[in-house]
């Protein structure tokens, strides 16, 4: 699939594949072949959440080996390195991203691109002549979206980088429809027939049931072998959880962003 796409000129690409469709390894395969054909120096894989980074870095290490992959985010424990020399080497590598494949967060990438401190900017030269893959590209916050897009466009236009926006739901940031967006030319989508892939990998059916009370939701959960209910506020979620638990539903779990430390997002 990527043989023809990888030889395309450096620039902006999209990879639109539904969840569990193999985006991680597919994007890595393209990045490796694209880098080989164009003599690019490294691959930077930016991910929104540290929990996904751990999984992605483990997959890349299985494919490429431990020495080829650098994992960098706020939760990295330098003590995992054995010995003072290894810890110093890891610290320096995280400062300048001196590794063939870097797995990091969007926060680390974009804060470095917009920083004015030497410690943050020390890695910028290693973004030159690189393939940058933005996993879950739709998660860039709207208030900072345009500055982030402009920084990516600058890397492509003047620093020899290629950017891959990798997601199941591509954000509508193509110029000129989106002012300040990215100029994505024709034939830059890497997935064959994204609409057909979406149909083939569909696992849910949407049905509008109208308004439902908490009692209705608890009753529906009791009749289902497995279910997920999403409501509009943390308070409502907690109240619904307590009602479901009081009704005797087995295995009911309450999920909220308050259960995650701030470092999860960095």
């Amino acid at each position: 699939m990527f043989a023809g796409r990888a030889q395309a000129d450096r620039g902006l690409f999209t990879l639109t594949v539904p969840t569990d469709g193999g985006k991680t390894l597919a994007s890595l395969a393209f990045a490796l072949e694209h880098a080989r054909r164009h003599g690019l120096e490294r691959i930077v894989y930016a991910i929104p959440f540290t929990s996904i980074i751990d999984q992605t870095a483990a997959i890349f290490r299985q494919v490429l080996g431990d020495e080829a992959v650098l994992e960098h985010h706020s939760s990295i424990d330098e003590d995992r390195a054995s010995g003072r020399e290894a810890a110093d080497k890891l610290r320096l590598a995280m400062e300048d991203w001196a590794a063939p494949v870097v797995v990091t967060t969007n926060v680390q990438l974009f804060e470095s691109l917009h920083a004015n401190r030497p410690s943050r900017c020390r890695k910028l030269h290693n973004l030159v002549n690189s393939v940058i893959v933005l996993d879950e590209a739709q998660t860039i916050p709207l208030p900072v979206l345009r500055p982030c897009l402009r920084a990516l466009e600058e890397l492509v236009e003047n620093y020899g980088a290629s950017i891959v926006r990798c997601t199941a739901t591509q954000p509508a940031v193509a110029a000129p429809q989106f002012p300040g967006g990215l100029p994505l030319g024709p034939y830059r989508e890497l997935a064959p027939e994204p609409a057909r892939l979406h149909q083939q990998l569909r696992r849910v059916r949407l049905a509008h049931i109208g308004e439902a009370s908490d009692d209705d939701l608890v009753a529906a959960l009791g009749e289902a072998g497995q279910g997920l209910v999403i409501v509009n506020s943390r308070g409502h979620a907690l109240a619904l959880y307590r009602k479901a638990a009081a009704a005797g539903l087995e295995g009911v779990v309450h999920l909220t962003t308050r259960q995650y430390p701030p470092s999860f997002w960095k």
Side-chain angles (χ1 to χ4, degrees):
M1 174 174 78
F2 296 124
R5 296 286 196 269
Q7 67 184 0
D9 292 341
R10 306 184 200 190
L12 297 163
F13 298 88
T14 57
L15 177 61
T16 311
V17 179
T19 303
D20 290 338
K23 292 192 301 296
T24 300
L25 289 177
S27 57
L28 177 64
F30 167 80
L32 290 171
E33 182 63 15
H34 189 67
R36 185 185 70 83
R37 288 175 179 264
H38 293 283
L40 303 182
E41 297 174 7
R42 64 183 36 81
I43 298 166
V44 178
Y45 211 95
I47 301 173
F49 313 122
T50 56
S51 60
I52 307 176
I53 286 183
D54 294 337
Q55 177 183 349
T56 302
I59 293 172
F60 288 175
R61 289 190 182 102
Q62 289 177 2
V63 176
L64 304 172
D66 291 345
E67 294 299 320
V69 180
L70 171 67
E71 185 179 352
H72 182 204
H73 53 81
S74 61
S75 298
I76 281 290
D77 183 5
E78 294 175 6
D79 292 338
R80 72 173 60 179
S82 56
R84 176 67 178 273
E85 183 177 349
D88 290 343
K89 183 178 179 181
L90 175 61
R91 189 181 303 109
L92 289 172
M94 289 192 297
E95 285 182 357
D96 65 7
W97 286 358
V101 177
V102 178
V103 186
T104 188
T105 59
N106 289 350
V107 170
Q108 294 288 343
L109 173 64
F110 288 115
E111 282 194 354
S112 295
L113 286 169
H114 293 96
N116 60 358
R117 302 201 318 269
S119 59
R120 284 285 188 181
C121 297
R122 193 168 290 130
K123 61 179 72 72
L124 291 183
H125 68 286
N126 279 330
L127 295 177
V128 176
N129 294 325
S130 65
V131 183
I132 301 173
V133 180
L134 298 175
D135 193 25
E136 303 297 345
Q138 80 283 357
T139 60
I140 299 175
L142 187 58
V144 297
L145 179 58
R146 283 187 172 87
C148 290
L149 295 180
R150 186 64 193 96
L152 295 174
E153 187 177 9
E154 177 70 14
L155 288 173
V156 170
E157 289 182 350
N158 296 310
Y159 295 93
S162 284
I163 309 289
V164 182
R165 299 200 325 260
C166 180
T167 177
T169 52
Q170 288 291 342
V173 294
Q177 293 85 357
F178 181 79
L182 297 174
L184 189 67
Y187 309 112
R188 308 297 278 188
E189 169 60 50
L190 303 177
E193 303 180 59
R196 180 176 59 83
L197 282 176
H198 179 78
Q199 291 297 327
Q200 289 178 337
L201 296 175
R202 175 176 289 181
R203 298 185 300 278
V204 298
R205 179 178 59 86
L206 299 178
H208 181 62
I209 63 171
E211 293 186 5
S213 67
D214 286 359
D215 291 333
D216 294 333
L217 292 174
V218 171
L221 284 173
E223 296 174 358
Q226 199 172 28
L228 171 69
V229 178
I230 302 173
V231 293
N232 199 42
S233 69
R234 286 189 289 255
H236 189 186
L238 181 58
L240 185 60
Y241 162 75
R242 288 171 173 166
K243 181 166 289 192
L249 296 187
E250 295 183 2
V252 62
V253 176
H254 173 226
L255 298 176
T256 171
T257 53
R258 287 181 175 173
Q259 294 171 333
Y260 293 95
S263 61
F264 176 79
W265 310 98
K266 297 179 181 179

